[in-house]
Amino acid sequence: MIDKEGLAAWLRLTLIPGIGGETQRKLLAAFGLPEAVFAAGRLAARSVIGDRADLLFDFDPSEAVDRGLAWACQPGQRLLTLADTAYPRSLLEIPDPPSILYVRGNPDLLQNRGLAIVGSRNATPQGLQTAETFARALATKGLEIVSGLALGIDAAAHRGALATEGATVAVIGTGADRVYPARNKELAVAIAEQGTIVSEFPLGTPAIAANFPRRNRIISGLVRGVLVVEAALESGSLITARLAAEQGREVFAIPGSVHSPVARGCHKLIKQGAKLVETAQDILEELGSHSGVPGVPGIPEDTAMAGNSDILQALGYDPCPLDDLVDRTGIGADLLLGELLTLELNGLIAALPGNRYQRLA
Amino acid sequence: MIDKEGLAAWLRLTLIPGIGGETQRKLLAAFGLPEAVFAAGRLAARSVIGDRADLLFDFDPSEAVDRGLAWACQPGQRLLTLADTAYPRSLLEIPDPPSILYVRGNPDLLQNRGLAIVGSRNATPQGLQTAETFARALATKGLEIVSGLALGIDAAAHRGALATEGATVAVIGTGADRVYPARNKELAVAIAEQGTIVSEFPLGTPAIAANFPRRNRIISGLVRGVLVVEAALESGSLITARLAAEQGREVFAIPGSVHSPVARGCHKLIKQGAKLVETAQDILEELGSHSGVPGVPGIPEDTAMAGNSDILQALGYDPCPLDDLVDRTGIGADLLLGELLTLELNGLIAALPGNRYQRLA
C-alpha cells in the first residue's frame, strides 16, 4: 500500500540537518519528488541551493529514516507528505507548509477547518473554565478544536472538545512520539484515540523552546480562526494570533479585567483589530458569515429560543440531574446538552459535577 | 450688567409647555432673539410654527420667569443662553443645543472639552475604583471630567476629579436647584464649589425618567470623548455613547469579564468600534493624536519611565507613606503623585488608606 521508497526519500530529505523547509521546497520545485532530488545528484542540486547541496549527499540519516518508516507502520500512526492527498489542504495555503507531518490518530480530521483555542499556560481558573466551555459548545456545533497540548488554556480546550463527541487536534512542538509536558500524557492518549496529534518535528525531538513558536504557524494554518482566551503580553499565543492574521485567518479574543495580566494580551489583540468575543455564538456568527462552517447545524433560532426558556423553567434553582431534565422537558439528551451549553455560556445556568445543572438567573 | 429684559424673554420662550427646543430654534432662526419673537406677534409666529404659536401668547410663565431671574442673581449661579458668549461652544456643534443652561459654579469650565466618564449605577467595587482612578489620573493631566451625578460610576468619576486640583462638570437631569439622587447632595455641593453643575431643565424639575437620556446628549456634547466604565446592555450609558458617536466624539470602553453583566455594555460598544481602553494613557494618546488636549503636559516619556522604575525601587513591597517616598526618591510630591497614579493604573502598585502606597509587581 505505502510507497516505501518514496516515503523513505521524503524522510531522508527532511531529516538532514541544515536543510530547512525553504530549502526543501526549492529542491522540490526544481526536481519534483524527493526521489528525483537524490537521483539528480550533487551537481544538479548545487545549481539550486548552492554548497548546501553537499549536505544532501554527505549526510546519511538512514537510521532515522528507518525509525520513521517503522513508526509509520504502527496502527494509528501515519506520515503525510506534501504530495499526499491526505495532506491538509489548509496548510498548502500557508507560505511555509511542513514537508512532512507525523500524525497519530485520525488524519482525516486535519482536513476540517475548525477553530484554534490557545492561551496562557498560567491561566486563571475562570480562564480555564471559559476555554473548556467554549470548546465544548463549539465542538458540539461541529467545529473542530485545534490547540497545542500545553498546560493551561490549551489543555482545557482539548478537554472541552473531548467531553463532547467533537473532534480535537493537538499540534505539538516535540516529536510525535513524545508528550510534553509529561503532565498531559493522559490527555495526549485520549486525543490520539478520539482526535489527532500532529507534529512536523522528527521523532525523538525533545521540547526545544524555539520549536514552539514555529509550531504555532501550523495551529493557525489548520483553522479558519484562532480564539485567544487568556494571554499575557509577549506570549506565544500572540505569536499564533499574528501568524493567523498573516495567513488570513480570523482572530478572536476574550476580554477580561484591566487588572488581570493574562487579559492584556487579549486586549492588545482587540486593539489591533481582533474580534472581541463574549459567547460561542459570537464565533459561530462570525465564521458562519463567511464560507459555511461545515457541520454547524441546524437548530432554527426560534426553536432554540423557545427551548431555552422552557429549559430554564424546567430546571429551577436547585441542582437537577440531566435525566430528570430530559423527562421534564421531553427534549432529547443530545439536543438538550447543546441548549444547556448555550445557557451556561450565557451565564444563565451552572453545570455541576455529576451531570447536574442549576439555574442561576 | 445683566440684560434683564432679554434674559426674561429667553426664560419665557423656554418655559412655555409645548414649545420644545426644535420649535424654539425655528423661532429664533426666523426672528432673532426671543424678545423679537414676542414683539413679532401671534400672526407672524404662526407663519413659522403654525397653531402652536398661540401657546406663546396664551400661556403666561411670568412666575417661573421671575423665579429664574431671581435664581440667576444668587452668587455662583448663572443662566447661559444660546446668545451668550459664555455658552459652551462645543454644544453649538450638536444638532439640538439647549436654548438655555442653568449653571451652578464656574461657567468657564464648560468651554473645556474634556472627557465624559459614565457608567452603571450598579457598578462593581472594582468598577468604581477604576472610574475614580481614571478620573484622578486624567484630571491630573489636565482633562476635565464630565459626568451625570448618578450613583455608581458617575459619582466615582466626579470624586476622582475632585480629589485632584482638576475640574469636573456634572450635567444633571433635574432642575439645577435640585439634587438627584439625594445621596449625592454633599458631592453636588463640592462640585458646585470646585467645578460646575449644569442643567437645561427649568428650576424645580424633579427626577423624570425621560429627561435623563435627553440630558445625555449634553454630557457627550460637552466633551471630546466618552469613556464607559461599566454598563449593562440597554443602559443609559450606551445611549450616551451612541449620542457621542453621532456627535463625532470618541467613544472609549473598558473591558471586563465575559461573566460580568456590567461588562456587556462595554463589550457591545467595542464590537461596534469603540476603543478598548486599559489605562488612562490609552485615552491621552488617543485624544492627543487629534487636535491637542489642552493642558495635557509635558512629562517626557523617558523621564517618566526612568522615574517609574526608580519609584518602584524606592517603594518596596511594604506600605510606604507618601512623605517617605518623597524623601527616598527626591521627586516632588506633585510629580510623584502623578507617577504613582500611572503605576497604580498599570497594576504595579496599590494606593492604601492614609496616603500610603505599596508595590505589587
Side-chain angles (χ1 to χ4, degrees):
Chain A
M1 294 277 284
I2 296 176
D3 165 18
K4 268 216 171 179
E5 292 299 308
L7 198 52
W10 277 100
L11 281 164
R12 184 177 163 195
L13 180 67
T14 59
L15 288 169
I16 295 170
I19 302 293
E22 198 183 336
T23 309
Q24 292 164 29
R25 286 190 298 280
K26 270 188 197 158
L27 290 165
L28 295 169
F31 300 104
L33 290 172
E35 284 175 293
V37 173
F38 294 108
R42 191 184 296 254
L43 285 178
R46 272 197 195 146
S47 73
V48 177
I49 59 167
D51 286 349
R52 256 177 315 158
D54 291 341
L55 294 170
L56 290 174
F57 299 94
D58 294 343
F59 190 91
D60 177 11
S62 57
E63 206 176 304
V65 168
D66 290 343
R67 189 141 58 107
L69 290 173
W71 185 87
C73 289
Q74 298 299 310
Q77 298 181 175
R78 175 137 180 218
L79 293 173
L80 294 179
T81 73
L82 275 172
D84 205 313
T85 53
Y87 188 91
R89 281 183 294 278
S90 54
L91 293 184
L92 296 176
E93 292 170 4
I94 70 174
D96 40 12
S99 299
I100 200 163
L101 291 172
Y102 297 75
V103 180
R104 286 170 60 191
N106 181 357
D108 297 343
L109 297 185
L110 300 174
Q111 297 295 3
N112 301 340
R113 296 180 180 215
L115 180 81
I117 300 182
V118 299
S120 179
R121 288 187 302 275
N122 305 307
T124 66
Q126 186 113 80
L128 295 176
Q129 205 203 322
T130 300
E132 184 160 348
T133 315
F134 269 73
R136 280 168 65 197
L138 293 166
T140 302
K141 295 287 189 184
L143 267 188
E144 182 174 281
I145 304 300
V146 177
S147 195
L149 196 67
L151 295 177
I153 297 297
D154 284 19
H158 289 304
R159 281 205 185 88
L162 289 174
T164 69
E165 298 298 303
T168 192
V169 172
V171 184
I172 64 176
T174 63
D177 55 341
R178 299 217 170 188
V179 173
Y180 178 84
R183 225 194 294 171
N184 280 344
K185 214 151 220 170
E186 272 182 54
L187 180 60
V189 169
I191 295 172
E193 272 174 18
Q194 186 177 327
T196 314
I197 294 178
V198 61
S199 170
E200 67 173 318
F201 299 106
L203 296 173
T205 303
I208 298 165
N211 285 346
F212 290 89
R214 194 176 142 203
R215 172 272 318 259
N216 293 351
R217 81 188 192 288
I218 306 180
I219 293 180
S220 54
L222 282 171
V223 295
R224 302 179 58 224
V226 172
L227 171 65
V228 182
V229 174
E230 282 189 330
L233 292 172
E234 317 295 336
S235 66
S237 305
L238 296 205
I239 296 175
T240 310
R242 179 174 57 74
L243 293 167
E246 286 171 8
Q247 293 167 348
R249 280 36 170 171
E250 299 277 351
V251 180
F252 304 102
I254 293 184
S257 163
V258 293
H259 302 285
S260 164
V262 285
R264 296 219 175 106
C266 291
H267 294 160
K268 185 178 178 186
L269 291 174
I270 294 167
K271 286 175 177 174
Q272 292 173 339
K275 301 217 161 54
L276 183 152
V277 160
E278 293 180 286
T279 66
Q281 191 59 34
D282 287 344
I283 290 174
L284 290 174
E285 277 166 16
E286 196 59 43
L287 293 183
S289 72
H290 299 75
S291 54
V293 179
V296 174
I299 307 169
E301 193 75 29
D302 289 350
T303 321
M305 285 307 185
N308 281 350
S309 81
D310 288 351
I311 292 166
L312 284 177
Q313 194 76 29
L315 189 51
Y317 293 91
D318 289 320
C320 171
L322 178 64
D323 292 348
D324 291 12
L325 204 55
V326 170
D327 290 347
R328 288 184 201 169
T329 59
I331 302 175
D334 282 0
L335 184 56
L336 197 54
L337 274 171
E339 293 308 312
L340 288 169
L341 279 167
T342 307
L343 291 169
E344 189 185 346
L345 282 169
N346 289 324
L348 298 173
I349 67 166
L352 306 176
N355 252 337
R356 292 173 312 149
Y357 293 85
Q358 180 170 18
R359 182 171 179 178
L360 296 176
Chain B
M1 294 276 285
I2 295 175
D3 165 17
K4 268 218 169 177
E5 293 297 309
L7 198 52
W10 276 101
L11 281 165
R12 184 178 162 194
L13 180 67
T14 58
L15 288 169
I16 294 170
I19 303 293
E22 197 183 337
T23 310
Q24 292 165 28
R25 285 190 298 280
K26 270 188 197 159
L27 291 165
L28 296 169
F31 301 105
L33 290 172
E35 284 175 293
V37 174
F38 294 108
R42 189 184 296 253
L43 284 178
R46 270 195 197 150
S47 73
V48 178
I49 59 166
D51 286 350
R52 258 177 313 161
D54 290 341
L55 294 168
L56 290 174
F57 299 94
D58 295 343
F59 190 91
D60 178 13
S62 57
E63 207 175 303
V65 169
D66 289 344
R67 191 143 57 108
L69 290 173
W71 184 87
C73 290
Q74 299 298 312
Q77 299 181 173
R78 177 138 175 216
L79 293 173
L80 293 179
T81 74
L82 275 172
D84 204 313
T85 53
Y87 187 91
R89 282 182 293 277
S90 54
L91 293 184
L92 296 176
E93 291 171 3
I94 71 174
D96 40 12
S99 300
I100 200 164
L101 290 172
Y102 298 75
V103 180
R104 287 171 61 191
N106 181 358
D108 297 343
L109 297 185
L110 300 174
Q111 297 295 3
N112 300 340
R113 297 180 181 214
L115 179 80
I117 300 182
V118 300
S120 178
R121 288 188 301 276
N122 305 309
T124 66
Q126 187 113 77
L128 296 176
Q129 205 203 321
T130 300
E132 184 159 349
T133 315
F134 269 73
R136 280 168 64 196
L138 293 166
T140 302
K141 296 285 190 184
L143 267 188
E144 182 172 283
I145 304 300
V146 178
S147 195
L149 196 66
L151 295 177
I153 297 297
D154 284 20
H158 288 305
R159 281 205 185 88
L162 288 173
T164 69
E165 298 297 303
T168 191
V169 172
V171 184
I172 64 176
T174 63
D177 55 341
R178 299 216 169 187
V179 173
Y180 177 84
R183 226 194 294 171
N184 280 343
K185 215 152 221 168
E186 271 182 56
L187 180 60
V189 169
I191 295 172
E193 272 173 19
Q194 187 176 327
T196 314
I197 293 177
V198 62
S199 169
E200 67 173 317
F201 299 106
L203 296 173
T205 304
I208 298 167
N211 284 347
F212 290 88
R214 195 177 141 201
R215 171 274 315 260
N216 293 353
R217 82 187 190 291
I218 306 180
I219 292 180
S220 53
L222 282 172
V223 295
R224 302 179 57 223
V226 172
L227 170 65
V228 182
V229 174
E230 281 189 332
L233 292 172
E234 317 295 336
S235 66
S237 304
L238 296 204
I239 297 176
T240 309
R242 178 174 56 75
L243 294 167
E246 287 170 7
Q247 293 166 347
R249 277 44 169 166
E250 299 276 352
V251 180
F252 304 102
I254 292 184
S257 163
V258 293
H259 303 285
S260 164
V262 287
R264 296 215 175 110
C266 290
H267 293 160
K268 185 179 178 184
L269 291 174
I270 293 167
K271 286 175 178 175
Q272 293 172 340
K275 302 214 162 56
L276 183 153
V277 160
E278 294 180 283
T279 65
Q281 191 60 34
D282 287 344
I283 291 174
L284 290 174
E285 276 166 16
E286 196 59 43
L287 293 183
S289 72
H290 299 76
S291 54
V293 179
V296 175
I299 306 170
E301 193 73 29
D302 290 349
T303 319
M305 286 307 186
N308 281 349
S309 80
D310 288 350
I311 293 166
L312 284 177
Q313 193 78 28
L315 190 50
Y317 292 91
D318 289 320
C320 169
L322 178 64
D323 291 347
D324 291 13
L325 204 54
V326 169
D327 291 346
R328 289 184 199 170
T329 59
I331 302 175
D334 281 1
L335 184 55
L336 197 54
L337 275 170
E339 294 307 311
L340 288 169
L341 279 167
T342 306
L343 291 169
E344 188 184 344
L345 283 169
N346 288 325
L348 299 173
I349 67 166
L352 306 175
N355 252 339
R356 292 173 311 149
Y357 293 85
Q358 180 170 16
R359 183 171 179 178
L360 295 176

